[in-house]
Structures are given as structure tokens and as C-alpha cells.
Amino acid sequence: HVLLLSIVPLAVADPVFSVERDIFTEPFSLEVTPSTATATVYVSTDGTEPTALLVGPISVTQTTVVRAVEVDDQGVSGPVVTHTYLFPADIVTQAAMDPAVTGSAAYAEDILRTLSSLPSVSLVSVGALTTAQSPVSAEWIDPHGPDLQVNCAAARTGTTSLGYPKNSLRLYFNGDYGPNGVDFD
């Protein structure tokens, strides 16, 4: 008789972020630490997969996406966790925003106040979204309630606005890039 043993590694935990995703007006210093003492954390701040070894705090001075993954001492990676830090003063300068509105002195205060008080959705993908499903991180950032981050799939949808910077999108929770469903109010 031959006895075969299969060693299944324990799940690697998520890295710990010193500041939760939210909406900000002032810069801050962010630390991302492993939840396990023998693990290592890799990060990115440009939306790509995290591959840079974290060597110190990250200075967050503008709208920033921080993606991190914890890798244990056996080389086993956990899930990529994404935290988006929003600065409304940066958001109003994005190309998809209408400068005739965002640059108007009559609306400036109202726009910043509104962007600071309403929930936001952050979708982070490695490449441009197409009509095919692609992996994304989806975040619900609510300044007055609970937040959510989940890895899933997304695709552009519709036929009339595909050339416009603000496309219709659909999220898929089918288990391909994350859970089979999400239970979140």
C-alpha cells in the first residue's frame, strides 16, 4: 500500500491597511502590513497587479488606488485587496468630467460638497474594459456607512455610448474572478 499525502496550504490572509478607503481632503501616510508575521506584502499604486515589495509607508496626497497582496513564506499568495482613496478636488479635474460645469465658480463648492457626501463606486482593472468580461476590483465607498471591496468581473454594455468616456458597465459575481455572489445592502 502506498499512502499519498497532499499538503494543502492554509489560506493566506489579507494585508492590513492602516487607513480605510474613504473620501479625503488632506494628505496622509498609509501603512500596509502583513497579517502574518512571516509574510511579505507587495503593492501597486497605479491599478496594476501588485509586484513591488512594500518597504515603507505610502504618502497619499491625491486620488490613489492602492492594491496589495500578502505572500507567505512558502510563496503562496492571498487575494489582491484594493483600497481607493478619493480626493474630490482631483475628481473634478478628470477628463470624463465636464469642465464647463466643474470649472464654474457658481457650482464649485456644491460639486466638492456633493462628491464628499455621496457614496462612490471605484472600479479598478488592469486594462481597459471591453464588452468581454474582465477581472476588476469593485469598491463601494460610503462616507456615512459601511464600505465594500470585492473582486469580480465587469464588462461594458450598451450600444450607444461605447465611444463616450462614461460607459454603462455590468458587474458579474459568477465565481470567475471572485465570489459567486455578494450580500451587501
Side-chain angles (χ1 to χ4, degrees):
H1 295 283
V2 176
L3 177 62
L4 297 174
L5 294 176
S6 175
I7 299 175
V8 177
L10 297 175
V12 177
D14 294 345
V16 178
F17 289 71
S18 64
V19 178
E20 287 300 314
R21 63 188 59 81
D22 208 342
I23 300 168
F24 297 88
T25 57
E26 298 293 326
F28 61 92
S29 183
L30 172 68
E31 293 192 27
V32 184
T33 56
S35 59
T36 307
T38 58
T40 304
V41 174
Y42 294 88
V43 298
S44 72
T45 57
D46 61 2
T48 60
E49 293 296 316
T51 57
L53 180 64
L54 182 65
V55 292
I58 299 168
S59 178
V60 180
T61 60
Q62 60 188 5
T63 296
T64 303
V65 173
V66 178
R67 303 188 80 200
V69 64
E70 187 168 321
V71 179
D72 72 11
D73 56 353
Q74 303 296 311
V76 177
S77 297
V80 174
V81 179
T82 305
H83 276 55
T84 300
Y85 302 100
L86 300 171
F87 286 76
D90 289 337
I91 294 169
V92 297
T93 65
Q94 291 179 354
M97 301 296 277
D98 183 349
V101 175
T102 59
S104 169
Y107 301 120
E109 285 185 36
D110 289 339
I111 291 171
L112 292 177
R113 186 179 67 254
T114 301
L115 288 173
S116 296
S117 64
L118 293 176
S120 297
V121 173
S122 173
L123 296 178
V124 178
S125 66
V126 173
L129 292 179
T130 66
T131 55
Q133 291 184 34
S134 301
V136 299
S137 165
E139 293 173 88
W140 175 262
I141 303 167
D142 189 342
H144 307 293
D147 296 328
L148 171 72
Q149 186 272 326
V150 62
N151 294 325
C152 59
R156 294 185 340 189
T157 61
T159 58
T160 60
S161 65
L162 291 177
Y164 186 70
K166 294 182 182 179
N167 293 294
S168 298
L169 302 171
R170 179 176 177 192
L171 299 180
Y172 297 86
F173 302 100
N174 53 16
D176 289 345
Y177 301 106
N180 281 320
V182 174
D183 184 13
F184 185 76
D185 288 339

